[in-house]
Amino acid sequence: MSYLKERILKDGVIYPGNVLKIDSFLNHQIDPAVMKEIEREFYDYFSDRKITKVMTVEASGIAPAIMVAAHFDVPMLFAKKKKPSTLKDEDVYSADVYSYTKKTTSTVMVSGAYLNEEDSVLIIDDFLANGEASMGLVKIVRDAGAEVAGIGICVEKSFQPGRERLEKEGLDVYSIVRIESIDSENQKIIFKEGH
Amino acid sequence: MSYLKERILKDGVIYPGNVLKIDSFLNHQIDPAVMKEIEREFYDYFSDRKITKVMTVEASGIAPAIMVAAHFDVPMLFAKKKKPSTLKDEDVYSADVYSYTKKTTSTVMVSGAYLNEEDSVLIIDDFLANGEASMGLVKIVRDAGAEVAGIGICVEKSFQPGRERLEKEGLDVYSIVRIESIDSENQKIIFKEGH
């Protein structure tokens, strides 16, 4: 069993409504040992693509994304949720991302200066559920004329439609851990085989 | 001259009002080579303190903080700007942080589960100007009964009062790069010696 699965079983907390809280090691407090496993696994899987950039969205995707970027020795670019004062509308690529937990739509954006047609981009995120954030990043990469080389996810909720939406776009999704189901009542997590 | 200074001179863009934009390698697109220099330098300086945790605030502090935490082999904890649905008010330590650029006050918070009296915390951030974010993190660490072991800053604007405020609190501030002045008119950056 992978280290990340073990940690989910040991330290994950299940809340009503299939909410899995793993903020003691993945997306609030972050364990570097988990990050190192993640960066190695993504590197092994994606190393044959000619990755020129790793991309994520703030905030909880940043830690795994910079570790993966350091392993590939390419820049990491994170999409921002608020437009910095130094960026003008015409200089950004943006996408609307709906949050099913917060029930709000936010716009994420990156500076047009850091993506171009030569780029082959590996998208990294901590969670994949409905795929809204990843789909937003895919749109941004494609708007820039760049290519999505693949999508690396730390924890995929396989019972939600994110992976299916991305695969329909012809994208290769690799998840370190796939979760088949979360049983709030009995506090059980069932993993799905494969990546 | 350090790699980070060289990159600031080469790729930094100066905007009116002493605004230095270095988002091509530090806080939007992030160059892992810069991160590796930063993590080594902070490790060299702070390695004699018994650091148990590295702390920052989302979003642009996360990349340097996780790299430094990986070097120290301790967890990284980032303060969030929005309270996650899985956290209750009584379970968090929080601080108000005023943004001089955005002219708004926001509350940053961490889960009380991840800080305690045993902790010796290294605070990391990308920029230090007025010191609002760092002062907020210091308050959070102290509210938890933990100790601030030091503050590591990538780029300090030494002409703004952040360092002085932190030093008045008895804190040890180490900045990789200190900027004495930014001259928007002549597009010049003057560095300050020391760290």
Side-chain angles (χ1 to χ4, degrees):
Chain A
M1 184 177 286
S2 80
Y3 188 59
L4 185 53
K5 275 188 190 167
E6 279 177 25
R7 285 298 294 275
I8 291 172
L9 292 179
K10 180 169 163 274
D11 296 323
V13 182
I14 300 169
Y15 283 74
N18 294 338
V19 175
L20 173 63
K21 183 172 141 176
I22 48 179
D23 71 358
S24 65
F25 58 93
L26 191 70
N27 50 20
H28 178 28
Q29 178 169 256
I30 300 173
D31 181 347
V34 173
M35 291 297 113
K36 282 174 187 170
E37 188 205 20
I38 285 168
E39 86 179 61
R40 263 194 307 271
E41 196 164 331
F42 285 142
Y43 186 81
D44 286 348
Y45 186 76
F46 289 110
S47 58
D48 64 334
R49 330 279 161 101
K50 284 175 183 152
I51 308 292
T52 63
K53 206 150 278 183
V54 172
M55 205 172 141
T56 191
V57 61
E58 63 171 310
S60 47
I62 295 176
I66 186 63
M67 300 289 282
V68 172
H71 210 119
F72 276 96
D73 200 20
V74 299
M76 185 275 272
L77 178 64
F78 70 87
K80 292 181 179 254
K81 288 177 181 166
K82 278 185 185 166
K83 193 157 59 66
S85 58
T86 50
L87 275 183
K88 291 177 203 139
D89 278 339
E90 60 268 31
D91 297 336
V92 302
Y93 296 111
S94 67
D96 289 339
V97 172
Y98 181 72
S99 165
Y100 286 84
T101 41
K102 293 171 196 156
K103 294 182 182 58
T104 53
T105 298
S106 59
T107 303
V108 300
M109 66 203 72
V110 306
S111 164
Y114 308 132
L115 275 180
N116 64 57
E117 292 165 11
E118 311 286 302
D119 278 317
S120 175
V121 180
L122 174 58
I123 292 171
I124 296 287
D125 214 349
D126 58 336
F127 262 107
L128 174 65
N130 290 292
E132 280 289 304
S134 294
M135 289 290 285
L137 293 179
V138 168
K139 174 189 180 292
I140 285 172
V141 171
R142 289 177 171 173
D143 282 353
E147 182 203 10
V148 179
I151 297 175
I153 299 294
C154 301
V155 180
E156 173 191 318
K157 291 177 165 178
S158 306
F159 52 90
Q160 288 182 281
R163 172 185 283 256
E164 202 185 327
R165 290 177 68 190
L166 294 164
E167 286 180 342
K168 266 190 192 159
E169 293 288 321
L171 298 163
D172 184 14
V173 180
Y174 182 97
S175 301
I176 309 267
V177 171
R178 302 183 72 187
I179 295 177
E180 175 80 55
S181 63
I182 298 172
D183 178 350
S184 315
E185 206 163 306
N186 299 299
Q187 293 281 306
K188 275 186 88 172
I189 296 165
I190 310 294
F191 293 115
K192 192 180 173 83
E193 287 302 303
H195 297 281
Chain B
M1 182 177 288
S2 78
Y3 188 58
L4 186 53
K5 275 188 190 167
E6 278 177 26
R7 284 299 294 274
I8 290 172
L9 292 179
K10 180 170 163 276
D11 296 322
V13 181
I14 301 169
Y15 283 73
N18 293 338
V19 175
L20 173 64
K21 183 173 141 177
I22 49 180
D23 72 357
S24 65
F25 58 93
L26 191 69
N27 49 21
H28 178 28
Q29 178 169 257
I30 300 174
D31 182 346
V34 173
M35 291 297 113
K36 283 175 186 171
E37 188 204 21
I38 285 168
E39 86 178 63
R40 265 194 307 270
E41 196 164 330
F42 286 141
Y43 185 82
D44 287 348
Y45 186 75
F46 290 110
S47 57
D48 64 334
R49 330 280 162 98
K50 285 176 183 152
I51 309 293
T52 63
K53 207 150 276 183
V54 172
M55 206 172 140
T56 192
V57 61
E58 63 172 308
S60 48
I62 294 175
I66 187 62
M67 300 290 281
V68 172
H71 210 119
F72 276 95
D73 200 18
V74 298
M76 186 275 271
L77 178 64
F78 70 87
K80 292 181 179 255
K81 289 176 181 166
K82 280 186 183 163
K83 192 156 61 66
S85 58
T86 50
L87 275 182
K88 291 178 202 139
D89 279 339
E90 60 268 31
D91 297 336
V92 302
Y93 296 112
S94 66
D96 289 338
V97 172
Y98 181 72
S99 165
Y100 287 85
T101 40
K102 292 171 196 158
K103 294 183 180 59
T104 52
T105 298
S106 59
T107 304
V108 300
M109 66 202 72
V110 305
S111 164
Y114 308 132
L115 275 180
N116 65 56
E117 293 165 11
E118 312 285 304
D119 278 318
S120 176
V121 180
L122 174 58
I123 292 172
I124 296 288
D125 214 349
D126 58 336
F127 262 106
L128 174 65
N130 290 291
E132 281 288 304
S134 294
M135 290 291 284
L137 293 179
V138 168
K139 175 189 178 292
I140 285 172
V141 172
R142 289 177 171 171
D143 283 353
E147 183 203 8
V148 179
I151 297 175
I153 299 294
C154 300
V155 179
E156 172 191 319
K157 291 177 165 178
S158 306
F159 53 91
Q160 287 182 280
R163 173 184 281 256
E164 203 185 326
R165 290 177 69 191
L166 294 165
E167 286 180 341
K168 266 190 191 156
E169 294 286 323
L171 298 164
D172 185 14
V173 180
Y174 182 96
S175 302
I176 309 266
V177 170
R178 302 184 71 188
I179 294 177
E180 175 79 58
S181 63
I182 298 172
D183 179 349
S184 316
E185 208 163 306
N186 299 300
Q187 292 281 307
K188 276 186 86 171
I189 296 165
I190 311 294
F191 294 115
K192 192 179 175 85
E193 286 302 302
H195 296 282

